[in-house]
């Protein structure tokens, strides 16, 4: 049994919305909100802070896909999108906008739970990958700053790279700070002096 989720369903057609809600109720006791009107969608979704957003679009255009996907905050939460028809470009647009599950002709009650599970799993996988990428980029930037600081020390003091790093590390330990922070201060100070 799936944990209790807060779910927003974006669907204009009442009958289709009822089918989605019925499918969701069959998969667990979820807090479900149906939004039929697209105006103010981003504001309402941001206010509700749902765990997942399900968007059902019978005949999507590129503009509608982008607007709905971006309004639902795909980088903040999983988004599953159901469409009746699609083509390669529409699929690519939805995926690039961050939609976790893009399902063509899949609005069937017994498929809703597995699609939810897949959207949540895919969202968490990409969220983890984005976090790892951000950490890697930050580490690379720190490495560049440390290398610049070492070069400044090597030139100013006439020491080799190992001695420059040792000096940065000792200063960081003495001040109970990170080597990257000390390096950043040194690079900024050197920039002011030149």
């Amino acid at each position: 049994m799936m944990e209790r989720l807060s779910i927003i369903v974006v669907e204009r057609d009442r009958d289709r919305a009822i089918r989605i809600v019925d499918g969701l109720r069959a998969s667990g006791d979820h807090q479900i909100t149906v939004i039929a009107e697209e105006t103010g969608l981003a504001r309402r979704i941001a206010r509700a802070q749902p765990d997942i957003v399900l968007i059902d679009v019978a005949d999507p255009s590129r503009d509608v896909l982008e607007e709905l996907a971006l309004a639902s905050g795909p980088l903040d939460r999983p988004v599953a999108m159901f469409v009746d028809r699609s083509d390669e470009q529409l699929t690519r647009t939805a995926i690039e906008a961050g939609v976790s599950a893009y399902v063509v002709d899949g609005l069937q009650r017994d498929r809703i739970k597995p699609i939810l599970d897949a959207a949540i799993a895919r969202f968490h996988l990409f969220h983890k990958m984005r976090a790892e990428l951000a950490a890697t980029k930050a580490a690379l930037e720190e490495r560049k700053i440390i290398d610049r600081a070492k070069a400044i020390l090597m030139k100013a003091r006439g020491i080799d790279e190992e001695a420059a790093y040792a000096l940065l590390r000792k200063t960081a330990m003495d001040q109970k700070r990170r080597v990257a922070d000390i390096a950043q201060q040194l690079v900024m100070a050197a920039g002011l002096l030149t």
Side-chain angles (χ1 to χ4, degrees):
M1 193 62 134
M2 185 184 275
E3 67 181 77
R4 186 171 204 266
L5 298 172
S6 167
I7 303 170
I8 285 188
V9 176
V10 180
E11 173 53 73
R12 289 185 224 163
D13 182 88
R14 186 177 184 281
D15 292 335
R16 288 173 71 97
I18 289 170
R19 282 196 325 207
I20 295 171
V21 170
D22 287 347
L24 291 170
R25 295 241 187 266
S27 71
D29 178 34
H30 305 296
Q31 175 189 338
I32 303 167
T33 304
V34 176
I35 298 177
E37 180 59 43
E38 293 167 13
T39 27
L41 184 61
R43 180 178 30 82
R44 292 196 291 197
I45 289 173
R47 188 177 25 196
Q49 290 294 308
D51 296 314
I52 188 166
V53 176
L54 293 169
I55 301 171
D56 185 38
V57 185
D59 191 21
S61 71
R62 182 182 191 157
D63 292 341
V64 168
L65 277 179
E66 288 177 350
E67 182 181 332
L68 289 174
L70 294 174
S72 62
L75 298 180
D76 299 328
R77 67 193 52 84
V79 175
M81 184 173 283
F82 295 93
V83 296
D84 285 350
R85 68 156 189 88
S86 183
D87 63 34
E88 186 179 330
Q89 186 59 42
L90 291 174
T91 303
R92 186 177 303 117
T93 300
I95 299 302
E96 287 173 357
V99 171
S100 305
Y102 182 82
V103 185
V104 179
D105 197 25
L107 186 57
Q108 299 159 13
R109 183 178 168 156
D110 59 335
R111 290 184 66 196
I112 292 177
K113 183 190 180 316
I115 290 168
L116 270 181
D117 292 342
I120 292 168
R122 184 167 187 252
F123 172 80
H124 288 302
L125 173 68
F126 279 103
H127 184 73
K128 179 181 174 189
M129 288 171 53
R130 280 193 303 271
E132 289 172 356
L133 179 61
T136 301
K137 284 181 176 179
L140 181 59
E141 284 303 312
E142 285 183 357
R143 184 82 245 149
K144 287 179 184 177
I145 290 170
I146 291 170
D147 287 346
R148 276 191 250 153
K150 287 190 302 188
I152 292 167
L153 288 173
M154 289 165 58
K155 183 177 179 184
R157 293 212 172 178
I159 56 179
D160 66 10
E161 185 176 354
E162 191 175 314
Y165 184 74
L167 182 57
L168 282 173
R169 192 176 76 225
K170 180 182 181 330
T171 304
M173 289 170 54
D174 290 347
Q175 294 184 15
K176 294 180 175 46
R177 301 190 53 209
R178 299 176 13 184
V179 172
D181 294 338
I182 298 300
Q184 178 67 43
Q185 285 183 319
L186 179 61
V187 168
M188 283 184 3
L192 290 174
L193 296 174
T194 55

